[in-house]
Amino acid sequence: GNFTNDFVKDAFDQFPDRLIPYCAVNPWERNAVDVTRQCISEWGFKGLKLHPTINGFHLADPELVDPLFRLAEELDFPIIVHGASDLFNSPPEFAIMAKRFPKVPLMMAHMGFFWAVDQAISFAAEFDNLYLETSRAPIFEIQTAVKRLGPDKVIWGTDSPFVDYEFEFKKMERATSDPEGYRSIVGGNIARLLKL
C-alpha cells in the first residue's frame, strides 16, 4: 500500500493554525525521498511517519530507509514509526536507527506494545534521540517508562481515529504525579521536537 499526502495538505491549507502535518511514505517507492522533501520544504509539513508493518520493510534496512533518515538529518525533522512489537519494527530495529542517526529524533509509536515494552524502555534509556509514544500502551507500562526514563522521553499520542480519543487522553492523568512532567508528556516534548 502507498500513502498519499494530498488530503493532508488540503486540510493543512485550510487550518494551518490547528494542524501539524506529517508526511507518510512507503520507502519501496522510488520517489519516497523526493515526496518527503516536497512535504517538508514546500508544503510546511513538520515530520515523517513510517509504517514498516503495513509496507513490509525492516526499519533498519539501510538501502530503503537510510535515505529518508539522511533527509531528516539534513532538513532537521523528527520521524515517527509504528512500533508495536513485530519483526519489521521491533525495538532493536529502532536501536539500530537511533545509533546510526543520532541527530534524528526518532519516536516509537505504541512503545513496543505488547511484549517488547521493557526492551523499548531500555533502548530509550540508551539513546538520547529515541522517544516512546504512548498510544495503545497500557497505563502501567507508561508509568514504568516515565519512572525509568523521566517525563522528557515519553510522548502522548492517541492513534486517532482508530481508538477512543478521550480514553487515551484521560489515561495520561495517571502517567505521573508531577504537574510539570505531565505537561512535558502531553505537549511540551513534542512541541520541542517540532520546534513549535
Side-chain angles (χ1 to χ4, degrees), residues 7 10 24 40 56 90 113 136 142 164 166 168 170 189 193:
F7 69 94
D10 291 344
I40 303 288
S90 62
F113 185 59
R136 294 181 184 262
I142 295 167
D164 183 328
E166 189 179 7
E168 291 288 337
K170 291 291 284 183
N189 296 332
L193 293 185

Side-chain angles (χ1 to χ4, degrees), residues 22-23 47-52 59 69 77-83 94 104-110 131-135 155-157 190:
Y22 279 63
C23 181
L48 175 64
K49 164 77 189 270
L50 297 174
H51 205 310
L59 176 58
F69 273 71
F77 61 82
I79 297 178
I80 187 167
V81 184
H82 177 76
F94 282 84
V104 176
L106 176 57
M107 292 174 267
M108 186 191 305
H110 323 307
Y131 298 82
L132 304 181
E133 183 272 352
T134 64
S135 65
I155 293 173
W156 169 63
I190 192 68

Side-chain angles (χ1 to χ4, degrees), residues 15-174:
F15 303 102
D17 300 335
R18 298 195 58 189
L19 298 177
I20 300 166
Y22 279 63
C23 181
V25 295
N26 176 357
W28 289 105
E29 289 288 291
R30 293 190 188 284
N31 65 344
V33 170
D34 295 334
V35 167
T36 306
R37 184 183 289 278
Q38 180 183 43
C39 283
I40 303 288
S41 298
E42 295 175 28
W43 294 356
F45 284 28
K46 292 287 190 187
L48 175 64
K49 164 77 189 270
L50 297 174
H51 205 310
T53 307
I54 287 179
N55 293 136
F57 65 91
H58 282 276
L59 176 58
D61 182 322
E63 203 176 324
L64 284 179
V65 186
D66 279 19
L68 291 162
F69 273 71
R70 280 196 293 271
L71 184 68
E73 196 170 35
E74 177 197 332
L75 299 180
D76 196 19
F77 61 82
I79 297 178
I80 187 167
V81 184
H82 177 76
S85 49
D86 69 54
L87 291 176
F88 285 123
N89 40 232
S90 62
E93 299 268 329
F94 282 84
I96 291 168
M97 295 310 280
K99 187 175 183 182
R100 202 182 282 165
F101 294 93
K103 294 194 184 98
V104 176
L106 176 57
M107 292 174 267
M108 186 191 305
H110 323 307
M111 52 188 279
F113 185 59
F114 291 97
W115 45 81
V117 173
D118 285 347
Q119 204 180 38
I121 293 171
S122 297
F123 283 131
E126 191 178 335
F127 298 102
D128 289 345
N129 58 326
L130 183 56
Y131 298 82
L132 304 181
E133 183 272 352
T134 64
S135 65
R136 294 181 184 262
I139 189 61
F140 174 75
E141 274 79 357
I142 295 167
Q143 289 169 336
T144 304
V146 174
K147 279 192 191 94
R148 282 180 54 192
L149 302 169
D152 293 344
K153 296 298 291 284
V154 179
I155 293 173
W156 169 63
T158 63
D159 213 25
S160 287
F162 308 110
V163 293
D164 183 328
Y165 182 95
E166 189 179 7
F167 172 77
E168 291 288 337
F169 186 67
K170 291 291 284 183
K171 80 179 180 187
M172 299 312 292
E173 291 172 1
R174 293 162 55 205

